Amino acid sequence: MSGTDDQALPQFVTTFDPQHGVAVPVAEGVERLTAPNPSPFTFHGTNTYIVGQKSVCVIDPGPDDDAHLDALMVALKGREVTHIAVSHTHRDHSPLTRRLKERTGAVIVAEGPHRPSRPLFEGEVNPFAESSDTDFVPDRALSDGDTVEGDGWRLTAVHTPGHTANHAAFALDNTGILFSADHVMAWATSIVAPPDGAMADYMASLDRLLSRDDRLYLPGHGGPVSEPRTFVRALRTHRRMRERAVLERIQKGDRLIPDMVSVIYASTDLRLHGAAALSVLAHIEDLVEKGLIDTDGSPRLSGEYRPG
């Protein structure tokens, strides 16, 4: 790894005070309320955002948690909730939407229901199936560029598939703020796990964000990303380095994904090695598509791989 690569790596920020149960102002007309669902995958919990003053939009209500719903209703007291925007359908982001709609009558907007990025191969099991909110259905599906608005605010959907097929970020128009959900986070990289996610889609979505001029990202977990373009370029470099590492392990004789993970993710929490294996699979799918590696049949976690 060269010095240039070191400088280009993302500088992750792991200091964050979630202040569970309290709505915290994070920008003009924006508050953050963090759900009490910390884990190695969710950091200190899922961030729910309240956008607006009198009529508001709630972004990502979060998991189906009584305490979080109670805290959210306290924060919303005296205000009309006109919209509930959902970035994607993992169970730490969308399930509370149904109960919040019952309380408020708000319109639910999202890219669409949950779906995998590709069909499952014969005999394949989706390892993230239990994490997916397959019951979610928006009242209104948002195409890329569609908007919703209320009193003094307007949100534009920015489709960013990769983490999931239906992942969308939301731009708060005329502010430079993007609610980046799980696509870009300051504390860690996003999980890209086939068949829910796809690495080629994720990388294309990073390029999509680089074509924008946002000044601040408010993500689904952890604190803000204050220099988005620099950070996204670093994330892209990081992913390309991971791709090279996977290719190098195969060229050096590794044939199985667990063997690659044990080397590439040697310093990573062992509880995350299952997710790391799925990330390696996501890179392998892309490398097979590019013709750089070969396998018998379709790429899968149990497959054997060799140089193309």
Side-chain angles (χ1 to χ4, degrees), residues 186-235:
W187 77 285
T189 56
S190 177
I191 294 172
V192 180
D196 258 22
M199 189 59 69
D201 290 346
Y202 182 84
M203 296 298 287
S205 293
L206 288 182
D207 289 341
R208 169 84 190 281
L209 293 191
L210 280 175
S211 71
R212 298 174 52 84
D213 59 356
D214 305 297
R215 65 173 180 82
L216 181 72
Y217 289 175
L218 296 176
H221 306 274
V225 177
S226 57
E227 296 183 13
R229 289 179 62 81
T230 299
F231 193 77
V232 170
R233 282 195 294 267
L235 279 180

Side-chain angles (χ1 to χ4, degrees), residues 106-154:
V107 175
I108 301 170
V109 298
E111 190 272 351
H114 192 83
R115 64 184 186 279
S117 292
R118 58 160 175 78
L120 269 69
F121 301 129
E122 184 178 354
E124 184 183 18
V125 175
N126 183 351
F128 266 57
E130 292 185 3
S131 300
S132 303
D133 184 5
T134 54
D135 295 328
F136 176 87
V137 179
D139 297 319
R140 177 187 168 197
L142 297 179
S143 297
D144 185 65
D146 281 355
T147 62
V148 294
E149 57 186 291
D151 182 22
W153 58 266
R154 183 173 65 190

Side-chain angles (χ1 to χ4, degrees), residues 22-23 30 34 43 55 59 69 91 96 98 109 112 134 138 189 192 194 201 215 228 243 279 285 298 305:
V22 178
V30 181
T34 304
F43 197 33
S55 74
I59 299 177
L69 177 60
R91 289 191 177 276
L96 198 62
R98 291 178 279 277
V109 298
T134 54
T189 56
V192 180
D201 290 346
R215 65 173 180 82
E243 179 184 75
S279 182
E285 285 187 343
S298 303
Y305 302 96

Side-chain angles (χ1 to χ4, degrees), residues 56-131:
V56 305
C57 177
V58 174
I59 299 177
D60 283 352
D64 191 359
D65 181 272
D66 291 341
H68 188 53
L69 177 60
D70 290 345
L72 185 54
M73 295 310 299
V74 169
L76 293 169
K77 188 175 181 179
R79 296 190 276 184
E80 178 190 13
V81 182
T82 60
H83 296 84
I84 303 168
V86 174
S87 65
H88 65 294
T89 44
H90 280 155
R91 289 191 177 276
D92 57 322
H93 285 261
S94 58
L96 198 62
T97 299
R98 291 178 279 277
R99 293 173 67 186
L100 184 60
K101 178 181 173 65
E102 290 173 0
R103 297 279 191 98
T104 64
V107 175
I108 301 170
V109 298
E111 190 272 351
H114 192 83
R115 64 184 186 279
S117 292
R118 58 160 175 78
L120 269 69
F121 301 129
E122 184 178 354
E124 184 183 18
V125 175
N126 183 351
F128 266 57
E130 292 185 3
S131 300

Side-chain angles (χ1 to χ4, degrees), residues 1-16 43 184-189 217 219 221-239 241:
M1 185 187 301
S2 71
T4 301
D5 282 338
D6 282 333
Q7 293 171 10
L9 290 175
Q11 300 300 305
F12 295 117
V13 179
T14 55
T15 55
F16 177 65
F43 197 33
V184 176
M185 301 175 288
W187 77 285
T189 56
Y217 289 175
H221 306 274
V225 177
S226 57
E227 296 183 13
R229 289 179 62 81
T230 299
F231 193 77
V232 170
R233 282 195 294 267
L235 279 180
R236 188 174 60 177
T237 297
H238 174 76
R239 292 290 186 174
M241 289 172 64

